[in-house]
Amino acid sequence: MNRNEIIELASKKSEHCISIYIPTHQKGHQVKEGHDRLNLKNQIKEVEGKLQRKGLLENEINEYLKPVRNLLDDRTFWSNQKQGLGIFLGDNFFKTVSIPYEVEAHNVVNGRMHVKELMRQMEDNDNMYYILRLSQEKPILFMVANGGISRVACDMPKDISEVTKYYDVEKEPQSRPNNSSVTHASAPIEDREKEFVFEFFRKIDEAIRPAINTGGSYVPLVLVGYERMHAIYEDANTYPNLIAHQFTKNFDESSEKEIFDAVHPTMRLRFSENRNKKVEEYNSSQSQTVSEIADVVEAAYEGRIDTLFVGNGHRWGEFDKENYKVRTNRGDECLYNEAAYYTLKNGGKVFIDDAETVMGGKEEIAAILR
């Protein structure tokens, strides 16, 4: 799930929001013996007890949990799982999320969907990127995610002839489909070629922008191809997160795997460095930081957090927004989940699993302020 999808899910509020997480399996004796379904049954039983303590009657509970129970007998559903499963139920709302990493079996019943566990998946998505093979004959857009590379379908021009067909080297420009300027026939051939390439790249930029929309975040777009093409593409580009001048050779005849092998080691190091820089920033004397849970939640709510580090655990309490007070001695809200949600909603970065490393094993939550 991407940032916007997680924010939308966490924004679903009702009196009894139910979030269930269980580890799942794709093969092995766990699948044959129905371990995953048994795990879900146990979680449903726990949820029933929580709803009873909240005052719901047995028939109300049975009706409310019907969409979750229906999954138990859906063999097709269980045959298409990954390593984890998230189930979310509220008033007139039901959603399941297949998770590509293992999660701990647990459930949360309160007024907001519990989404912190999904943010590791969002972080994986944040570590995705696109590769644009620059070529006058074979431009291709690739996406790299989850350790693999794949082509992205988009309506970009297939080759530069889609631009040059409107021109003749010895003649004035023929009629064209738009009003963009191109040098006249009297201009030097080299300059005119650059103009054609610029127009070609402008059309590519225009075509790929809708295809690389990743739900509110601008993931890197990496250029590969001859060095002289990088500068021209930079002039035509309108995408905010462009990486150019690093992979500068002819990739026209390279396979997807060859392109991936050339680019991925550098990008993997880049993502690791971004995280490490944030850890170093937290521990530097120059940065403004907070680690008390009340301070973190309030800062997240106000949109003052640049980067949040939070562990896998839970800290139960209550965030009273009207009186602007965080209470840790009562309430059924996971304050870590609240902090992560508001940080994400207000444009901050969330790293899961890192707080104890950042804090030297002392705390499970810490933040760098803007």
Side-chain angles (χ1 to χ4, degrees):
M1 297 184 73
N2 63 41
R3 174 185 290 263
N4 285 353
E5 290 170 334
I6 291 176
I7 291 171
E8 182 182 1
L9 178 58
S11 300
K12 303 283 186 186
K13 300 193 74 174
S14 61
E15 188 175 358
H16 305 298
C17 284
I18 296 170
S19 307
I20 298 174
Y21 291 91
I22 61 169
T24 52
H25 303 83
Q26 296 172 296
K27 57 184 178 181
H29 70 91
Q30 294 95 339
V31 175
K32 293 179 181 178
E33 296 171 12
H35 283 210
D36 299 342
R37 282 181 285 176
L38 179 60
N39 209 341
L40 179 57
K41 279 184 181 179
N42 293 335
Q43 293 301 314
I44 292 173
K45 189 173 182 179
E46 288 185 19
V47 169
E48 287 174 341
K50 292 179 180 181
L51 292 175
Q52 286 174 356
R53 290 190 288 276
K54 288 178 177 289
L56 271 68
L57 300 176
E58 184 177 354
N59 64 322
E60 293 175 322
I61 294 171
N62 289 336
E63 183 64 27
Y64 197 62
L65 293 180
K66 187 180 290 184
V68 184
R69 281 204 181 88
N70 287 343
L71 295 177
L72 295 172
D73 298 321
D74 188 341
R75 292 187 177 276
T76 303
F77 175 79
W78 293 105
S79 65
N80 289 285
Q81 293 307 308
K82 297 179 182 176
Q83 290 179 265
L85 173 65
I87 301 172
F88 305 93
L89 177 66
D91 294 335
N92 301 313
F93 180 80
F94 177 66
K95 183 179 181 67
T96 64
V97 178
S98 186
I99 302 171
Y101 47 82
E102 188 173 343
V103 294
E104 181 183 351
H106 68 284
N107 62 79
V108 177
V109 181
N110 57 26
R112 185 190 300 286
M113 298 299 178
H114 191 83
V115 297
K116 182 168 69 72
E117 281 74 1
L118 298 178
M119 292 186 188
R120 279 177 55 197
Q121 184 174 4
M122 183 201 70
E123 187 180 335
D124 288 342
N125 288 341
D126 283 350
N127 287 352
M128 70 178 282
Y129 58 94
Y130 292 93
I131 299 173
L132 177 59
R133 183 171 76 184
L134 294 178
S135 169
Q136 295 186 39
E137 297 180 354
K138 301 176 181 178
I140 300 176
L141 180 67
F142 301 98
M143 179 179 70
V144 177
N146 300 319
I149 184 171
S150 58
R151 293 194 184 198
V152 178
C154 60
D155 191 25
M156 73 167 77
K158 294 180 175 60
D159 56 54
I160 199 169
S161 68
E162 295 193 24
V163 171
T164 59
K165 66 184 179 182
Y166 297 104
Y167 297 86
D168 187 283
V169 175
E170 301 300 330
K171 298 177 182 179
E172 293 292 326
Q174 301 170 8
S175 61
R176 304 180 66 245
N178 58 49
N179 295 321
S180 57
S181 61
V182 178
T183 54
H184 293 285
S186 59
I189 296 298
E190 183 180 338
D191 291 344
R192 293 196 66 206
E193 182 185 359
K194 286 181 181 178
E195 290 286 349
F196 294 149
V197 174
F198 173 84
E199 179 71 5
F200 179 51
F201 286 168
R202 188 191 66 77
K203 289 180 176 293
I204 290 176
D205 171 75
E206 190 178 79
I208 69 174
R209 286 300 299 270
I212 59 179
N213 176 21
T214 53
S217 57
Y218 294 111
V219 306
L221 172 62
V222 183
L223 301 184
V224 300
Y226 282 128
E227 170 69 28
R228 64 187 179 86
M229 293 188 182
H230 287 234
I232 301 174
Y233 191 88
E234 282 182 306
D235 290 339
N237 173 65
T238 62
Y239 187 69
N241 194 1
L242 184 71
I243 298 175
H245 303 288
Q246 290 199 22
F247 307 97
T248 54
K249 70 171 190 176
N250 182 7
F251 285 89
D252 280 12
E253 303 304 323
S254 299
S255 66
E256 292 182 13
K257 183 180 185 305
E258 288 169 337
I259 293 174
F260 176 83
D261 290 344
V263 174
H264 195 61
T266 300
M267 292 304 297
R268 186 170 54 192
L269 180 61
R270 183 188 184 97
F271 290 128
S272 177
E273 286 175 347
N274 288 344
R275 179 190 286 248
N276 292 340
K277 283 177 183 176
K278 287 297 182 181
V279 173
E280 290 173 7
E281 183 180 344
Y282 179 86
N283 289 303
S284 72
S285 57
Q286 273 79 41
S287 61
Q288 251 191 309
T289 63
V290 289
S291 58
E292 293 294 329
I293 184 63
D295 296 334
V296 173
V297 173
E298 289 173 11
Y301 184 68
E302 293 171 346
R304 293 189 289 116
I305 292 182
D306 172 84
T307 305
L308 178 72
F309 303 94
V310 60
N312 280 321
H314 303 280
R315 181 75 179 271
W316 304 108
E318 176 185 80
F319 180 32
D320 183 350
K321 301 172 190 64
E322 290 184 7
N323 297 306
Y324 225 68
K325 188 172 182 62
V326 175
R327 302 182 179 91
T328 58
N329 59 346
R330 72 182 195 196
D332 60 2
E333 293 177 289
C334 176
L335 297 176
Y336 292 167
N337 188 67
E338 292 294 295
Y341 163 64
Y342 284 116
T343 297
L344 208 64
K345 183 181 178 183
N346 290 315
K349 179 78 174 177
V350 179
F351 288 124
I352 305 296
D353 269 345
D354 272 83
E356 292 171 284
T357 302
V358 172
M359 298 292 292
K362 297 176 184 177
E363 302 286 347
E364 276 209 335
I365 196 163
I368 301 171
L369 300 182
R370 290 182 167 132

